[in-house]
Amino acid sequence: MGPGRGMDCVVYRSNDRGGTWEKAGPVFPEAPFRFQGASSNVGYAPDVSVVFDGGRYHMIYDWASEDSTWETMTVPKGGADNGIGYAWSEKPEGPYIRTPIPIYSNASQVLRLGKYRRAYAATLIRRTQDWMVLAMMDSGPSFSWALFGMTSDKPEGPYSEPTALLCVESTRYHPPLLEFFPAFTHEGWIYAPATSVAANRNYQAIFRAPLDQAHHSEAWEIHQAGSVWHSEPVENEYSGIWGQTFSGSVGNDGQFTVMFPSRDPQGMGTINLAKRPWAQPLRGQGFILSGHKGPSLSLLRQAHSSFALEVEMTLHGKATLVWDYQGFLGPDAAAADSVPHPLSLCAFSGLVLSSTGWKLIEVPDPLHTKVIAEGPSGKNPLLKFRLEIDASGNLAFSGENGAGWKGPVTVPAGRIGWLVDKNSHLEVHHFNLSGATCSRPIRYLPLEGVLGAGAANKEWQESPDASFASGAGMISLTPQSKAKWNVSGKAFTLMAPRGPEYGTAEVFLDGTPQGEVAFHANEKSSSGPVLHLEASLPGPHAVLIRVKEGRIPLDCLEVDW
């Protein structure tokens, strides 16, 4: 954004079900447009949503004045403004006639939930008795996003005050750092896909609510989280899904067809199509994991003390089969475009695979990697292998092209998983695992809890201190400081140090009070268990901690199944 720049929606039309496309439009008349009472023209209108009803095409669209900057998008000043507008047309390609008053003006709004004001990326939905707008709001420096809803008797408004429907500030499980847009309807439900805004955006979730109850936050549920989307190793999907999430609809033939954005290796945007049967959300076997702007890590829920594993796979780039994983999970920064923390990428043993060869390694910490054995891959990348570790720590590895090694290693006591490097793509066709499981909790960093509550940058201060389990924790800065881990499991243990400078906190599990934790002690002590919680069933849960008195420390959360 800036002087001489602008954004506009562009319409392309296909007459052969997406085989070929031609540019149509313009979407809006080319003459400059200014809202009634505004001090400058509209210079940006990138995201739109269109509904056909009553013989007209009804559109809502993002807008920003031409003097806007990224700073004024969140905090309007100097006459710069942005928000959501309405327009209509008799043809789907336009031109669309804009109303002189916007549906939503950022400059005229108050903060909601203490942090949200900017509304954008909105979807227009026709319901039985009214119209509904689902709009995303962001919180600026807190790095949290929320889905708000507004209703009206007419598509052009006026609309009700926005109501928060989905956000990390709720006491329910809600994966953090998710951007919504656009939503779609099918068989009486509204579905709202959402994409991660970490460096790799292929993690997707789909929320849904009954169509005529969608203005109530309690009506919404997670329809699918993870295993929603995967990228292909092709040039036009180099960045994975990028920007907002996919735009989809279910046709009369039962096919779920989506349009999705990505970028090529030169950073140029691409628009792409994909489809699957709506009734078959998952593949029959196997899985895909890819890294794009950063590495990706995925772990099994159960830990293993010995195992035998047979794998068949296709690999582009580099990937590591991980076992004995005992690291800390969490982001490297309280911000968008984050990648796994350095402490998430160590404390494991692994088999590194690439087109140049294989390595058996141990990674005790972020600064050290020990190579146990290595060899070339031969003419082709290693596509099939078997790896076994018995209870005494004897490892036997055999692969294609004569690859193999036998010898003693550390007896495993952690999880098995995959770590895929930046700009790499792994498709596993067969993953046949057997062995002895053991109890080993997953540890989540305090920063994961900070982002999970939308509390970045204002409520907590990082504190490098050996008394914390990971060598660094967080200290609360305000009486309202809170953290929430949105995690899957059944048993949850809150770890923290104690000392004379600390106060008291309240703890909640899925919104239900679980008591208080006193961090005060006459003498300082290192991190240890301060509270253990058990859910009735394993699955997605939210563990919330918030200040009750004084300043409190925030350390890791241990989670087990």
Side-chain angles (χ1 to χ4, degrees):
M1 304 187 77
R5 298 183 177 183
M7 301 179 195
D8 276 311
C9 170
V10 178
V11 174
Y12 285 83
R13 175 174 51 206
S14 174
N15 293 315
D16 55 5
R17 301 184 67 84
T20 58
W21 295 83
E22 62 177 358
K23 189 174 181 180
V27 176
F28 299 117
E30 295 182 357
F33 175 81
R34 180 178 298 193
F35 284 114
Q36 181 178 307
S39 60
S40 63
N41 295 335
V42 171
Y44 303 86
D47 299 320
V48 308
S49 172
V50 177
V51 173
F52 180 72
D53 184 78
R56 277 187 174 180
Y57 294 89
H58 304 273
M59 172 191 285
I60 56 170
Y61 61 95
D62 288 359
W63 65 270
S65 57
E66 60 186 5
D67 54 351
S68 293
T69 65
W70 283 118
E71 180 183 1
T72 64
M73 293 294 285
T74 303
V75 184
K77 60 182 178 181
D81 196 6
N82 62 89
I84 302 169
Y86 169 82
W88 64 271
S89 175
E90 294 179 349
K91 297 185 295 183
E93 67 270 25
Y96 284 81
I97 308 303
R98 293 183 272 202
T99 55
I101 299 175
I103 288 175
Y104 187 96
S105 164
N106 193 349
S108 64
Q109 299 293 320
V110 298
L111 287 176
R112 302 179 190 281
L113 303 181
K115 65 178 72 171
Y116 296 106
R117 176 163 50 197
R118 177 195 171 208
Y120 64 109
T123 302
L124 180 63
I125 296 165
R126 182 66 165 113
R127 304 200 300 176
T128 305
Q129 301 295 332
D130 63 6
W131 294 78
M132 185 173 189
V133 169
L134 292 178
M136 184 161 56
M137 292 192 187
D138 72 13
S139 61
S142 294
F143 286 102
S144 59
W145 286 259
L147 186 70
F148 281 74
M150 303 181 289
T151 59
S152 174
D153 293 334
K154 298 179 291 184
E156 66 270 25
Y159 279 82
S160 64
E161 289 295 307
T163 299
L165 301 174
L166 295 167
C167 58
V168 293
E169 287 76 19
S170 76
T171 58
R172 296 189 294 175
Y173 173 88
H174 183 95
L177 294 187
L178 288 179
E179 274 192 307
F180 302 86
F181 180 74
F184 64 95
T185 61
H186 180 58
E187 295 183 341
W189 292 84
I190 295 178
Y191 292 87
T195 183
S196 165
V197 292
N200 290 330
R201 302 191 171 196
N202 283 347
Y203 177 87
Q204 307 282 307
I206 301 178
F207 298 80
R208 72 173 187 175
L211 184 61
D212 289 325
Q213 296 297 315
H215 55 294
H216 299 298
S217 61
E218 61 271 18
W220 287 85
E221 65 183 17
I222 294 179
H223 175 62
Q224 198 173 347
S227 298
V228 174
W229 185 262
H230 71 269
S231 292
E232 297 291 347
V234 292
E235 183 177 9
N236 53 292
E237 295 187 43
Y238 180 80
S239 294
I241 207 164
W242 186 87
Q244 310 308 139
T245 186
F246 52 80
S247 172
S249 63
V250 183
N252 294 331
D253 58 356
Q255 289 291 311
F256 182 37
T257 302
V258 303
M259 180 189 74
F260 66 96
S262 187
R263 293 196 294 187
D264 66 16
Q266 289 72 46
M268 299 298 293
T270 65
I271 298 296
N272 313 274
L273 294 175
K275 66 180 180 179
R276 66 160 170 84
W278 174 254
Q280 298 177 22
L282 301 177
R283 57 177 48 212
Q285 66 179 38
F287 56 88
I288 289 175
L289 184 66
S290 58
H292 298 277
K293 197 174 179 180
S296 290
L297 174 66
S298 183
L299 301 170
L300 296 181
R301 289 171 174 169
Q302 289 186 314
H304 281 75
S305 56
S306 62
F307 65 90
L309 175 64
E310 294 180 347
V311 174
E312 294 184 17
M313 66 184 204
T314 302
L315 176 63
H316 299 266
K318 185 166 74 172
T320 302
L321 172 71
V322 170
W323 65 87
D324 195 25
Y325 181 87
Q326 300 181 42
F328 292 84
L329 293 182
D332 70 329
D337 289 332
S338 58
V339 297
H341 194 280
L343 292 176
S344 300
L345 303 177
C346 65
F348 65 81
S349 299
L351 171 64
V352 183
L353 303 168
S354 71
S355 60
T356 59
W358 59 269
K359 292 181 181 180
L360 288 168
I361 62 170
E362 291 182 352
V363 187
D365 58 62
L367 300 178
H368 300 91
T369 297
K370 177 183 177 182
V371 178
I372 299 172
E374 60 184 316
S377 62
K379 296 180 180 180
N380 299 306
L382 195 63
L383 299 180
K384 296 181 181 180
F385 67 87
R386 175 182 171 83
L387 192 144
E388 182 174 0
I389 305 177
D390 65 21
S392 299
N394 297 305
L395 184 149
F397 158 63
S398 60
E400 295 180 312
N401 306 312
W405 185 83
K406 292 183 179 181
V409 296
T410 302
V411 177
R415 280 169 170 75
I416 297 170
W418 283 100
L419 173 62
V420 178
D421 272 31
K422 179 180 178 180
N423 300 326
S424 297
H425 185 279
L426 170 69
E427 180 173 3
V428 176
H429 310 291
H430 298 284
F431 191 85
N432 299 322
L433 174 67
S434 60
T437 60
C438 60
S439 177
R440 171 67 66 173
I442 282 284
R443 298 179 292 180
Y444 288 87
L445 288 167
L447 193 55
E448 179 74 15
V450 171
L451 281 181
N457 298 326
K458 292 183 179 180
E459 299 184 26
W460 299 91
Q461 180 179 12
E462 188 172 1
S463 176
D465 189 328
S467 66
F468 289 91
S470 64
M474 312 287 284
I475 305 295
S476 62
L477 292 176
T478 74
Q480 294 78 37
S481 293
K482 59 190 175 301
K484 186 179 71 166
W485 289 274
N486 301 278
V487 293
S488 290
K490 186 177 187 295
F492 312 93
T493 302
L494 186 65
M495 306 291 290
R498 284 188 163 99
E501 68 271 38
Y502 298 138
T504 306
E506 300 173 300
V507 180
F508 301 80
L509 178 61
D510 300 328
T512 302
Q514 302 294 312
E516 298 178 2
V517 176
F519 298 100
H520 180 82
N522 292 331
E523 295 183 1
K524 188 172 183 178
S525 62
S526 295
S527 182
V530 295
L531 184 67
H532 182 78
L533 306 174
E534 292 272 352
S536 57
L537 294 172
H541 294 284
V543 178
L544 171 68
I545 179 172
R546 68 186 183 197
V547 172
K548 182 176 183 181
E549 183 179 358
R551 302 181 72 188
I552 66 169
L554 190 68
D555 203 348
C556 68
L557 180 74
E558 294 189 346
V559 180
D560 210 343
W561 281 79

